[in-house]
Amino acid sequence: MKKNRLLAKWLNDDLSPDELAEFEASADFEKYQKIKNYTNHLEIDDLDENAMLSTILSQKKTPVKVVPLYKKWMFRAAAVFLLAFGITFTMKLFVAETQSADFGEKTTFSLPDNSEVVLNSGSEINYKKWNWENNRNLELEGEAYFRVAKGRRFEVRTNLGKVTVLGTQFNVKARKKRFDVVCYEGRVKVNYANTQILLTHGQSVSFENGKQVNRNVNSLKPEWIENQICFNKENIRTILDEVERQYNVEIELNTKDTISLFTGKLPAKDLDTALQIISTTYHLEAKKVSKNKIIFDEK
């Protein structure tokens, strides 16, 4: 501390004789003397304060950009919209698409390749739009009629079996333990359990409880498309189940005869006529106990 004080006074020529003698006797005096001698030769121009001020004022000022609050809100809203749109777009591509037909209704829709599907009452289809042209697979619960556009393999999967085609018209029905496939145009390959069969135009196959029934059909499309319910050797409980789906009603059956098989047609738009045909065939009496409930009793 004292050394620094003496150095400062020496630079200002403010040392007393005794202090000067003490400072000159120090070990660092020679070094300090050389520095002082060198700096004495340096010259510093006088500071022109006015010129410096003019230079500063002449420089172009860059304005500070201020973003209004409402614009910030718009930017955020746009970002949220884009994010939501991206999520929605991704969901539509990768998440399964579902089409269904409630009881008493039919639904017609097109797949991404313009293949047409008609869903019968109480049926549902699930498929994915992503890469559809190369992966034409869908899952069916219930019954549907397909007009398939030509292209890569088209596959319909059910809990009972699957149907594979390239481009054709066919009907698939999977209800409870019964699996029916009808080919109206082209060829279809049917897989059921360990059985594989190829159907061509006008052929059909039915599987139920391990039994296979083949038959020929003359119609150009399913009867239910024209509001006719067609049955081929089916029991009364299966028939009533279909009537419930087509008319969106509940049916209670009080009879011991549930084994006799029925082959024929019922109207899908005239409930009274359908009930009369069932009553006559099975010797039953139909009673409408409410708008949507019917009871069949033995006569």
Side-chain angles (χ1 to χ4, degrees):
M1 181 69 70
K2 181 180 178 182
K3 184 177 181 180
N4 292 338
R5 181 175 58 82
L6 292 174
L7 176 60
K9 291 178 72 175
W10 176 70
L11 291 172
N12 291 325
D13 295 326
D14 198 25
L15 291 176
S16 66
D18 292 338
E19 290 175 333
L20 180 58
E22 180 183 353
F23 186 71
E24 291 177 349
S26 65
D28 295 326
F29 173 74
E30 186 177 353
K31 179 177 62 176
Y32 295 142
Q33 185 65 51
K34 289 180 180 180
I35 294 173
K36 185 177 181 181
N37 292 337
Y38 173 75
T39 56
N40 285 338
H41 297 287
L42 297 178
E43 294 183 359
I44 301 175
D45 294 335
D46 293 336
L47 179 64
D48 190 343
E49 297 178 353
N50 293 329
M52 180 178 292
L53 178 61
S54 298
T55 301
I56 294 173
L57 293 176
S58 65
Q59 292 179 351
K60 185 178 180 181
K61 294 182 179 180
T62 302
V64 179
K65 293 184 179 180
V66 179
V67 181
L69 183 60
Y70 76 92
K71 287 189 176 181
K72 290 183 178 180
W73 179 86
M74 290 176 62
F75 292 153
R76 291 177 181 175
V80 172
F81 171 78
L82 290 174
L83 179 61
F85 177 80
I87 294 174
T88 302
F89 180 74
T90 302
M91 292 285 285
K92 283 185 174 294
L93 279 179
F94 295 102
V95 177
E97 187 88 5
T98 299
Q99 295 284 351
S100 61
D102 293 334
F103 281 20
E105 297 180 359
K106 295 180 180 66
T107 299
T108 301
F109 66 96
S110 295
L111 294 167
D113 60 353
N114 291 323
S115 294
E116 185 178 343
V117 182
V118 186
L119 276 175
N120 203 351
S121 302
S123 303
E124 181 177 289
I125 275 180
N126 292 284
Y127 67 96
K128 292 182 180 179
K129 290 183 177 180
W130 171 250
N131 197 32
W132 173 260
E133 295 291 341
N134 297 314
N135 190 28
R136 302 196 299 175
N137 297 328
L138 56 80
E139 296 180 357
L140 167 67
E141 293 182 14
E143 184 173 11
Y145 172 58
F146 299 88
R147 297 187 186 98
V148 179
K150 292 187 181 298
R152 291 181 178 272
R153 184 180 66 178
F154 186 100
E155 189 170 275
V156 179
R157 300 173 181 174
T158 75
N159 63 326
L160 296 176
K162 68 179 181 180
V163 179
T164 306
V165 301
L166 291 178
T168 185
Q169 297 182 29
F170 62 101
N171 191 83
V172 181
K173 180 179 180 181
R175 302 281 196 196
K176 294 185 176 180
K177 296 181 179 181
R178 178 153 176 161
F179 185 47
D180 297 273
V181 181
V182 183
C183 178
Y184 296 99
E185 181 184 285
R187 297 185 304 170
V188 300
K189 182 171 66 176
V190 182
N191 289 85
Y192 175 84
N194 296 322
T195 300
Q196 179 173 296
I197 184 173
L198 185 67
L199 301 179
T200 58
H201 168 71
Q203 294 182 334
S204 75
V205 64
S206 299
F207 297 94
E208 187 172 17
N209 297 323
K211 295 181 179 180
Q212 176 180 334
V213 177
N214 294 75
R215 64 187 181 92
N216 295 323
V217 294
N218 297 318
S219 56
L220 300 178
K221 55 185 175 181
E223 288 82 355
W224 60 266
I225 297 290
E226 302 295 336
N227 296 315
Q228 293 286 326
I229 316 172
C230 186
F231 301 99
N232 181 54
K233 296 181 179 180
E234 299 188 50
N235 60 56
I236 187 172
R237 187 64 262 179
T238 300
I239 295 168
L240 296 183
D241 286 345
E242 193 61 39
V243 172
E244 287 180 327
R245 278 188 285 269
Q246 296 296 327
Y247 290 98
N248 193 22
V249 295
E250 179 186 351
I251 298 178
E252 181 180 323
L253 177 63
N254 297 319
T255 181
K256 296 178 181 178
D257 183 10
T258 58
I259 300 176
S260 299
L261 301 180
F262 173 77
T263 297
K265 299 179 181 180
L266 297 177
K269 292 295 182 181
D270 187 344
L271 179 59
D272 290 336
T273 299
L275 297 178
Q276 183 178 356
I277 294 173
I278 295 172
S279 297
T280 302
T281 302
Y282 288 93
H283 306 289
L284 300 172
E285 183 179 0
K287 297 179 182 179
K288 291 184 178 180
V289 296
S290 68
K291 181 180 178 180
N292 296 314
K293 184 170 182 179
I294 301 161
I295 297 177
F296 277 105
D297 289 317
E298 290 183 342
K299 288 183 178 181

